[in-house]
Amino acid sequence: MEQTLSSRSFRPSSPYKPSADMRKRWRRTSSPVPQALLQPSPAAVETCPAVLTFPSPSLALDDPIYSISPGSVKQVHARILKAAEPRSSKSAMDFLIQIYSKFGDFRSAAAVFFIALQFDTLSWSYLINSFDGAGERSTRELLEIFRELHRIGITLSVGILRRALRNCAELVDFWLGSQIHAHVTKKGLANETYIRCSLLDFYARCCSSGSADRLFEESSFTEDSILWNNFIVLNVERGKWIEALELFRMMQLVGLEADEVTVAKALHACGRLEAVKHGKAIHGNVIRSGSFPCALVSNSLISMYSKNSLVKLARRVFEYMGGRTLVSWNSIISCCSLNGFLEDSLELFRDMVAFGAEPDLVTWNCLISGHSHHGSPHRTFELLRKMQEEGFQPNSSSITSVLRPITHSGLVELGKTIHGYAIRHGLDRKVFVGTALTDMYVRFQNLSTARSVFHSMKHRNVLTWNSMISGYAHEGLFDEALQLMEQMEEEGEQPDLTTWNGLISGYSIHGRSSQAVVLIRQLKANGVVPNVVSWTAVISGCCRNGRYEDAIYFFREMLSEGVQPNSISVACLLRACAGMALLGKGREMHCFAARRDLDDDVVVATALIDMYAKSGSLAEANRVFEKLEHRNLASWNAMIMGFAAHGRGEEAISLFDRMCGEGIKADGITFTAVLSGCRQSGLVIQGWKLFDGMKGFGVTPTLEHYTCMVDLLARCGYLDEAWDFIQSMPLEADAGIWGSLLAACRTHRNVELAEMAAQQLFQLEPSNPANYVLMMSIYASENRGEDAEDVRDAMNAAGLASRGGWSWIEINQTVHVFGVEGRPPHPDTGEIYFELYRLVSEMRRRGYVPDTSCIAHHIGEEEEKEKLLLSHTEKLAMAYGLICTGEGTTIRVIKNTRVCSDCHTVGKYMSQMTGREILLRAGARFHHFRDGRCSCNDFW
């Protein structure tokens, strides 16, 4: 009886000889085929077609000579039996077994094999090898022959039973597998090690994992290392990483030795779980065992350390291992490449060639994949081209990796080029390539092409469906998304949580967060547990639509549901704090992130920098930035933008130079930030230098960059140069550019140029009342009341009404809002105005003169204009802050629009009179009032 796991032939330990009783039992069977085998009828012999003579072993069953019907199979059988010594002819018996199996007559096929086995013509190994590797049909045919042999009572060896169980597992034939289990139990073979291993694999595939677990528990107290090793590997292959590692630990506790395959699988589980401590412990056990790790274990160690981003340890394992294989080189190149050490991966590639190892397609794909995650799309494309020059044809993995950076960089034309290549080489029909193409066009907002790719795919996986459904949802096509989900279910693919999260994200993006939350609650009621991605989608959507208070509310609800936030959800909430300039809440979130070790995450740290900068605490933003060890481009951009918003242009330029010195390549956002710093500080020469140097960084100026330059020139009084710059632009000027020019014309009192800019704005933004109000203010400041009234009439004719500004201040974690229409007046309005009148009286004694030119309304009396100036919301907020806070406390006021010149002057007086620092965020610009001076130096 066969006992070894490594045997491939499953040959019995001794030749099989049927007993006399078994031969009698065979003859008594009701099947007519065995009778025909023993003695064919004369009629069958005579009626057999003459062309179907004894078969040649070189002929295949699909040869035209064998094109016969099921009814003539027995005639062919009779013709063969008529030949001399048919039972001793291996080719004849092989032909009969194959042809009976082809027509589904497995009883006859089994009978033929029985006779061949009796006469030593065929062996058990023949039966296994002849049906091996020929697809599911051959597996089913072999299993049916096993079934017939078992039915007639032939005793099967351990190897054959194991093969039968394997076939049952592959075909998910639970009933036959259960019969085999019952058979081996009756024969006393159920506790045989290799049978038990096969049974574990069968139950793991055909039933729930609990069945395999219970079967293992029945024998887990035996000191059988083979069984332990097999079950650990089985758990890893089923994705039960935690259970596999626990079994590995228990195996060591009972003193059993794990083989190399089990150690490698355990390390694989550590990599998937990012359980670096367990991985290091296994590494230590391997070293303490005294045996040098084999290539399989060493490669698994490299992979485990790679998945835990421990590149130095992975390289140490590689350097000390002997007998490096191609897999070893590929593993360490993949480790460096996927963890962002691109130059190291290229150096290892060169070393590989120098040591005589030939790179293969996997090697190139490792390099391409790493560059697709961490490099530029053009560098990735260049690697693909070099790979082809070396004679390697890109496969689906290569194309999928190349499409990733193209998708994220929005390179539409390059993406179409890769799509064309995939079509020409038949790769677009691959599931992963088709899915990547669908996702690419979805992200390019080209739903029609995405739909075409999607419908052209013969085979789709859940990722393909999710990408298309998410694309519809993100475009607001919710009916189409729901219909596609129904089609998905009809085609047998069940929506997973990612599918639902795509819908939730779509609802949130389009301002329907309430529906998104309803969907989350419905999922929970239906037994699907929403995860952190579900809630983060809602929070992110609220932030995107400016509903910051809702974002904070849903974050609290997420915590109450027991869902722990990740770095993205924390970053989203910090964005909400930044949008409302809630410094206190932002500091709370900083502590929250620190307690969960998230503050060192580059995404969270970047959000912290942005939050502190927008909440007025530039010093704290800079501390977070300097503490951050691994800064990315977004971190640098956030800090540069922070300096710019606070009017510290020189520090912004200095940080830009420092970034370039550290090898970080600036992008379009970087130049927007540093040019904003120049325009806020009036740095014209530096601004021109930076603008002219953009192309050297590979950045093409956009409208945002041109807006910065127009604003910079116009603010500094170079109105003619700004006008000429607009006329020479290669792009059509938008409302942002003309709005910057108009605002500067008011400051520098250039009515003629203001009228030209306003005319453009009235055409581009006919529904924006702010443009009309600004033009009225310009006319009013020049005492052109009639022209101001004409603008007012035009605004009224367009059905527009000026939107009043509003301001707010946070005191003791309570936000006090001033000037919002529809809200009742502040309960302390009387006290606020009393304090404001008192302060203004003191200011007048110090030389303050109200600037009534800020009032665009046509009001005859100056006294009325001065009263109207007192109602400006930023004055009310500053006065309330002085009332409610103690000495030494900084007053932080947020205003939604640009501050007027009178309020700017009042802020300086208030800071001088009270000895308090007042921080005013007006739009995107900060004003720090201290000791009667402003940080903008009256340039804003």
Side-chain angles (χ1 to χ4, degrees), residues 567-621:
S567 59
I568 304 299
S569 49
V570 171
C572 286
L573 196 71
L574 286 168
R575 181 182 171 189
C577 295
M580 298 178 68
L582 298 178
L583 183 60
K585 179 61 67 177
R587 285 170 174 162
E588 284 184 15
M589 285 306 303
H590 191 173
C591 295
F592 180 90
R595 288 195 299 270
R596 286 161 175 77
D597 294 327
L598 293 173
D599 56 328
D600 289 331
D601 183 276
V602 67
V603 175
V604 174
T606 302
L608 282 169
I609 294 168
D610 183 63
M611 182 275 296
Y612 280 126
K614 289 181 177 177
S615 298
S617 183
L618 191 61
E620 288 180 274

Side-chain angles (χ1 to χ4, degrees), residues 159-424:
I160 298 300
L161 289 169
R162 292 185 60 232
R163 178 54 189 258
L165 283 169
R166 193 178 91 185
N167 285 10
C168 290
E170 290 174 359
L171 299 173
V172 197
D173 193 331
F174 175 75
W175 295 112
L176 182 57
S178 300
Q179 292 174 15
I180 295 173
H181 189 183
H183 172 75
V184 297
T185 302
K186 291 177 183 178
K187 295 293 183 181
L189 298 174
N191 289 324
E192 199 277 335
T193 298
Y194 296 110
I195 289 287
R196 177 75 56 158
C197 290
S198 297
L199 286 170
L200 287 172
D201 182 66
F202 163 72
Y203 281 114
R205 294 196 189 190
C206 294
C207 304
S208 63
S209 58
S211 301
D213 294 339
R214 285 191 296 271
L215 184 63
F216 176 75
E217 288 170 3
E218 294 174 4
S219 54
S220 61
F221 295 103
T222 63
E223 295 183 0
D224 194 335
S225 61
I226 296 175
L227 190 64
W228 280 83
N229 284 317
N230 180 271
F231 195 55
I232 291 171
V233 171
L234 190 62
N235 272 275
V236 173
E237 291 175 348
R238 287 187 295 168
K240 300 179 68 174
W241 322 114
I242 297 175
E243 291 84 349
L245 291 178
E246 180 61 21
L247 283 167
F248 188 85
R249 187 186 66 83
M250 292 174 61
M251 184 180 182
Q252 291 179 310
L253 290 176
V254 298
L256 297 178
E257 183 178 353
D259 61 22
E260 295 170 350
V261 174
T262 305
V263 172
K265 291 290 185 180
L267 288 168
H268 176 71
C270 293
R272 294 302 296 265
L273 291 171
E274 296 185 0
V276 65
K277 291 183 179 178
H278 290 82
K280 287 182 176 180
I282 295 173
H283 191 180
N285 288 335
V286 171
I287 295 173
R288 285 193 296 273
S289 66
S291 60
F292 202 81
C294 67
L296 176 63
V297 174
S298 296
N299 294 339
S300 298
L301 281 168
I302 293 171
S303 177
M304 184 272 295
Y305 284 129
S306 171
K307 289 174 181 176
N308 286 281
S309 302
L310 297 173
V311 179
K312 289 183 179 179
L313 291 177
R315 294 204 65 165
R316 194 176 302 169
V317 172
F318 177 78
E319 289 167 1
Y320 281 97
M321 70 179 293
R324 296 168 184 163
T325 63
L326 179 60
V327 176
S328 308
W329 284 102
N330 287 345
S331 296
I332 192 63
I333 289 173
S334 175
C335 170
C336 293
S337 184
L338 291 178
N339 282 284
F341 295 86
L342 302 182
E343 294 302 323
D344 290 356
S345 66
L346 292 172
E347 182 182 353
L348 283 165
F349 179 82
R350 290 188 288 268
D351 292 344
M352 176 184 183
V353 175
F355 278 96
E358 290 291 335
D360 63 355
L361 184 59
V362 175
T363 317
W364 284 100
N365 281 343
C366 289
L367 288 172
I368 292 171
S369 178
H371 280 76
S372 75
H373 281 82
H374 303 284
S376 68
H378 297 288
R379 186 82 177 271
T380 307
F381 193 74
E382 180 66 19
L383 280 171
L384 183 72
R385 187 185 61 78
K386 286 183 179 179
M387 181 181 80
Q388 292 176 282
E389 291 176 355
E390 293 295 325
F392 292 99
Q393 192 75 8
N395 61 5
S396 58
S397 177
S398 316
I399 299 301
T400 304
S401 295
V402 171
L403 286 173
R404 185 183 185 277
I406 290 173
T407 300
H408 289 127
S409 301
L411 302 175
V412 180
E413 294 305 319
L414 189 55
K416 290 180 179 179
T417 301
I418 298 297
H419 187 185
Y421 178 90
I423 293 173
R424 291 193 299 273

Side-chain angles (χ1 to χ4, degrees), residues 686-702:
Q686 295 90 328
W688 272 119
K689 182 179 178 181
L690 287 164
F691 183 81
D692 292 337
M694 288 179 64
K695 291 184 179 179
F697 289 84
V699 178
T700 301
T702 65

Side-chain angles (χ1 to χ4, degrees), residues 6-283:
S6 60
S7 173
R8 295 184 180 178
S9 64
F10 299 102
R11 184 189 299 274
S13 56
S14 59
Y16 173 75
K17 293 290 184 180
S19 65
D21 291 339
M22 186 172 293
R23 284 194 290 269
K24 289 178 182 178
R25 187 161 62 249
W26 181 275
R27 293 188 183 98
R28 288 197 299 269
T29 183
S30 60
S31 171
V33 179
Q35 297 295 333
L37 277 169
L38 297 175
Q39 186 61 51
S41 65
V45 174
E46 292 301 325
T47 57
C48 183
V51 70
L52 293 172
T53 56
F54 188 76
S56 168
S58 63
L59 292 175
L61 284 177
D62 56 357
D63 194 284
I65 194 173
Y66 299 141
S67 299
I68 58 178
S69 64
S72 60
V73 173
K74 291 185 174 57
Q75 294 178 358
V76 176
H77 189 172
R79 186 75 179 177
I80 292 173
L81 287 175
K82 191 176 179 181
E85 297 296 329
R87 296 179 180 83
S88 63
S89 172
K90 180 177 179 180
S91 59
M93 293 299 182
D94 173 59
F95 173 78
L96 286 172
I97 292 171
Q98 296 286 343
I99 202 167
Y100 275 126
S101 299
K102 178 180 179 181
F103 288 109
D105 191 351
F106 301 108
R107 181 173 297 183
S108 297
V112 173
F113 179 71
F114 173 82
I115 298 299
L117 199 63
Q118 181 180 6
F119 287 93
D120 290 333
T121 304
L122 298 176
S123 65
W124 286 105
S125 60
Y126 151 78
L127 191 61
I128 300 298
N129 295 333
S130 60
F131 287 88
D132 210 10
E136 181 179 335
R137 177 178 174 180
S138 293
T139 302
R140 172 62 66 185
E141 291 171 357
L142 178 60
L143 199 56
E144 293 295 339
I145 293 174
F146 284 157
R147 189 196 303 272
E148 291 300 324
L149 291 172
H150 174 67
R151 188 184 64 81
I152 64 175
I154 293 181
T155 303
L156 304 177
S157 69
V158 170
I160 298 300
L161 289 169
R162 292 185 60 232
R163 178 54 189 258
L165 283 169
R166 193 178 91 185
N167 285 10
C168 290
E170 290 174 359
L171 299 173
V172 197
D173 193 331
F174 175 75
W175 295 112
L176 182 57
S178 300
Q179 292 174 15
I180 295 173
H181 189 183
H183 172 75
V184 297
T185 302
K186 291 177 183 178
K187 295 293 183 181
L189 298 174
N191 289 324
E192 199 277 335
T193 298
Y194 296 110
I195 289 287
R196 177 75 56 158
C197 290
S198 297
L199 286 170
L200 287 172
D201 182 66
F202 163 72
Y203 281 114
R205 294 196 189 190
C206 294
C207 304
S208 63
S209 58
S211 301
D213 294 339
R214 285 191 296 271
L215 184 63
F216 176 75
E217 288 170 3
E218 294 174 4
S219 54
S220 61
F221 295 103
T222 63
E223 295 183 0
D224 194 335
S225 61
I226 296 175
L227 190 64
W228 280 83
N229 284 317
N230 180 271
F231 195 55
I232 291 171
V233 171
L234 190 62
N235 272 275
V236 173
E237 291 175 348
R238 287 187 295 168
K240 300 179 68 174
W241 322 114
I242 297 175
E243 291 84 349
L245 291 178
E246 180 61 21
L247 283 167
F248 188 85
R249 187 186 66 83
M250 292 174 61
M251 184 180 182
Q252 291 179 310
L253 290 176
V254 298
L256 297 178
E257 183 178 353
D259 61 22
E260 295 170 350
V261 174
T262 305
V263 172
K265 291 290 185 180
L267 288 168
H268 176 71
C270 293
R272 294 302 296 265
L273 291 171
E274 296 185 0
V276 65
K277 291 183 179 178
H278 290 82
K280 287 182 176 180
I282 295 173
H283 191 180

